[in-house]
Amino acid sequence: AQTVTQSQPEMSVQEAETVTLSCTYDTSESDYYLFWYKQPPSRQMILVIRQEAYKQQNATENRFSVNFQKAAKSFSLKISDSQLGDAAMYFCAYRSKAAGNKLTFGGGTRVLVKP
Amino acid sequence: NAGVTQTPKFQVLKTGQSMTLQCAQDMNHNSMYWYRQDPGMGLRLIYYSASEGTTDKGEVPNGYNVSRLNKREFSLRLESAAPSQTSVYFCASIARLAGGNEQYFGPGTRLTVT
């Protein structure tokens, strides 16, 4: 079974600065998807960014980008120019292509943004 | 287009009581999922339905049953609630099994079992 680990329970960043969230995962598969979800206090799960394992190019969505290191099984999220609205829990998730689209989540990292 | 809806939003049960959490999606998605989120943790899969008429166990199915009533609706039933089932429950759906389609999540149901 796959596991996803987020080693940072909480990260703090100054507004307009950059913060990087870590995520590692364990799998024996070669083709899969990785996701970062944002969960604000409203509890709504919001997709931030996705990465397909066979694509070497790192995904980017506006101020959010990832550093995908397939051999190291690492998938970090960088938030640039942090804004107050970025404050939330962030979850890394893994999806196998072969397992019914089930998501396996990490434990989450709380991001605090200081004005 | 409401996306994924869940009812109720909040519920308090006594130990041993039963209840059904309702989930519906209006996006014509084939696959639906039930997750639970405990404090300070990520979501864990309880059950899922890859298509209408099929259901499968996820990571933490004990104490739950599900019904895929039709393509739109996927309900989660607690037959005899226990305090360990206090959690936030999320329903999700996805268009098809293949591909990197996004899972759309409902707003969650906060359940407390006393």
Side-chain angles (χ1 to χ4, degrees), chain A residues 33 39 44 50 95 100-101, chain B residues 33 37 97 99-101 103:
Chain A
Y33 300 99
Q39 187 180 43
Q44 185 68 44
R50 84 186 84 199
R95 179 198 293 164
N101 276 322
Chain B
Y33 305 80
Q37 184 179 27
L97 285 181
N101 307 59
Q103 281 202 358

Side-chain angles (χ1 to χ4, degrees), chain A residues 70-84:
Chain A
K70 190 173 183 180
K73 296 179 184 173
S74 169
F75 183 60
S76 62
L77 174 71
K78 184 168 80 172
I79 307 174
S80 304
D81 185 25
S82 296
Q83 300 175 358
L84 295 177

Side-chain angles (χ1 to χ4, degrees), chain A residues 43-99:
Chain A
R43 296 202 311 258
Q44 185 68 44
M45 296 293 288
I46 302 165
L47 178 66
V48 175
I49 199 165
R50 84 186 84 199
Q51 175 82 41
E52 295 191 60
Y54 71 86
K55 290 187 178 178
Q56 292 186 337
Q57 186 174 5
N58 289 324
T60 299
E61 288 287 342
N62 300 315
R63 298 182 294 106
F64 298 87
S65 61
V66 298
N67 183 2
F68 174 46
Q69 301 289 327
K70 190 173 183 180
K73 296 179 184 173
S74 169
F75 183 60
S76 62
L77 174 71
K78 184 168 80 172
I79 307 174
S80 304
D81 185 25
S82 296
Q83 300 175 358
L84 295 177
D86 294 333
M89 285 290 290
Y90 286 80
F91 293 96
C92 179
Y94 172 102
R95 179 198 293 164
S96 166
K97 287 192 175 182

Side-chain angles (χ1 to χ4, degrees), chain B residues 7-22 63-64 76-87 89 109-114:
Chain B
T7 55
K9 286 189 167 49
F10 300 93
Q11 184 71 49
V12 179
L13 291 177
K14 288 183 168 27
T15 297
Q17 287 185 317
S18 62
M19 80 159 296
T20 300
L21 281 64
Q22 307 287 353
Y64 304 95
L76 178 72
R77 182 158 178 86
L78 287 70
E79 290 291 351
S80 179
S84 61
Q85 294 177 304
T86 293
S87 191
Y89 292 83
T109 295
R110 183 179 291 278
L111 175 67
T112 302
V113 183
T114 61

